[in-house]
C-alpha cells in the first residue's frame, strides 16, 4: 500500500500538470483576443489565479521533497520541482508576450476604428452639406413658385378688376340702351299719332274742299240756271 506522502506527491504532480495546461490555454486565448480591453483584463485575472494555484502546488511539492527520508527520492522530487518552476517561468514569459501582442492588436483595431469613424464623420459631413444644398435648392424653388403664384394672383386680380369694369360698362350701356329704347318707342308713338292726325287732317281738308266745291257749284247753278 502506498504511503500517504507518496499519494500527496502524486496529487500535487497531477494538479501542477492540470494548472500548467490551463495556464497555457488561457495564454493562447490572450493571443487570440481581439478586444476589448475588458476581455483582456478578465483573461489576465484568470491567468493570475491559475499561477497562484500552480505556485502553491509547486511549493507543496517542494515541501514534500524536503520531507523525504531517502536522499535519492528527495533529489528526484527536487528536480521535478525545478522543472515545474522553469516551466512556470516560461509560461510567465509567454504570458507577457501574449499580452503585448494582444495590446498591439487592440491598439491597431482601435486606430482602424478611429480612421473608419473619421471617414464616417466626413461622410456624414458630406451628407449634411448635400442635404443643406438640397434644402436650399428646394427653398429657392418654393420661393420661385410662391413668386409665380403671387404674380398669377395679381394678374387674376387685375383681370377680375378689368372684368368688373367691363361689366359696369356693359351695365351702363344696357341702361343707355334701355333709355334709348324708351325714347325710340315714345318717338314711334308720336310718329304714329302724327301720321294718324295727318290722315285726319287730309280727310278734313278733302271734306272741306268737297263742301266748298259743292257750294260753288250750287251758287253757279242758282245764278246760271235759276229755273232748275
Amino acid at each position: 500500500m502506498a504511503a500517504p506522502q507518496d499519494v500527496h506527491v502524486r496529487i500535487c504532480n497531477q494538479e501542477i500538470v492540470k494548472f500548467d495546461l490551463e495556464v497555457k490555454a488561457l495564454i493562447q486565448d490572450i493571443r487570440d483576443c481581439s478586444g476589448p480591453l475588458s476581455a483582456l483584463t478578465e483573461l489576465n485575472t484568470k491567468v493570475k489565479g491559475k499561477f497562484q494555484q500552480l505556485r502553491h502546488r509547486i511549493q507543496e511539492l517542494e515541501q514534500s521533497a524536503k520531507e523525504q527520508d531517502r536522499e535519492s527520492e528527495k533529489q528526484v522530487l527536487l528536480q521535478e520541482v525545478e522543472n515545474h518552476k522553469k516551466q512556470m517561468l516560461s509560461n510567465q514569459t509567454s504570458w507577457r508576450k501574449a499580452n503585448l501582442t494582444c495590446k498591439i492588436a487592440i491598439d491597431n483595431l482601435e486606430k482602424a476604428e478611429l480612421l473608419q469613424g473619421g471617414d464616417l464623420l466626413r461622410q456624414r459631413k458630406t451628407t449634411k452639406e448635400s442635404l443643406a444644398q438640397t434644402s436650399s435648392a428646394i427653398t429657392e424653388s418654393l420661393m420661385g413658385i410662391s413668386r409665380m403664384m403671387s404674380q398669377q394672383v395679381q394678374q387674376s386680380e387685375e383681370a377680375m378688376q378689368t372684368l368688373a369694369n367691363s361689366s359696369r360698362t356693359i351695365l351702363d350701356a344696357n341702361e343707355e340702351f334701355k333709355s334709348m329704347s324708351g325714347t325710340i318707342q315714345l318717338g314711334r308713338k308720336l310718329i304714329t299719332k302724327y301720321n294718324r292726325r295727318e290722315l285726319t287732317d287730309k280727310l278734313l281738308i278733302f271734306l272741306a274742299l268737297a263742301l266748298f266745291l259743292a257750294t260753288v257749284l250750287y251758287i253757279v247753278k242758282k245764278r246760271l240756271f235759276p229755273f232748275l
Side-chain angles (χ1 to χ4, degrees), residues 172-218:
D172 293 340
N174 189 26
E175 292 295 329
E176 290 181 0
F177 288 151
K178 287 181 178 179
S179 177
M180 291 176 64
S181 177
T183 303
I184 291 171
Q185 289 179 358
L186 180 59
R188 183 180 297 171
K189 290 180 180 179
L190 291 174
I191 291 171
T192 303
K193 185 176 181 181
Y194 176 76
N195 289 332
R196 290 177 180 175
R197 187 171 181 180
E198 183 181 7
L199 181 60
T200 304
D201 290 342
K202 288 180 179 180
L203 183 60
L204 291 173
I205 291 170
F206 177 76
L207 291 174
L209 182 61
L211 181 61
F212 175 74
L213 290 175
T215 303
V216 170
L217 288 174
Y218 179 75

Side-chain angles (χ1 to χ4, degrees), residues 32-54:
D32 297 336
C33 180
S34 58
L37 286 175
S38 58
L40 178 61
T41 302
E42 183 179 354
L43 288 172
N44 282 322
T45 301
K46 291 180 180 179
V47 173
K48 289 178 182 178
K50 295 300 178 182
F51 268 125
Q52 288 177 356
Q53 291 174 329
L54 178 60

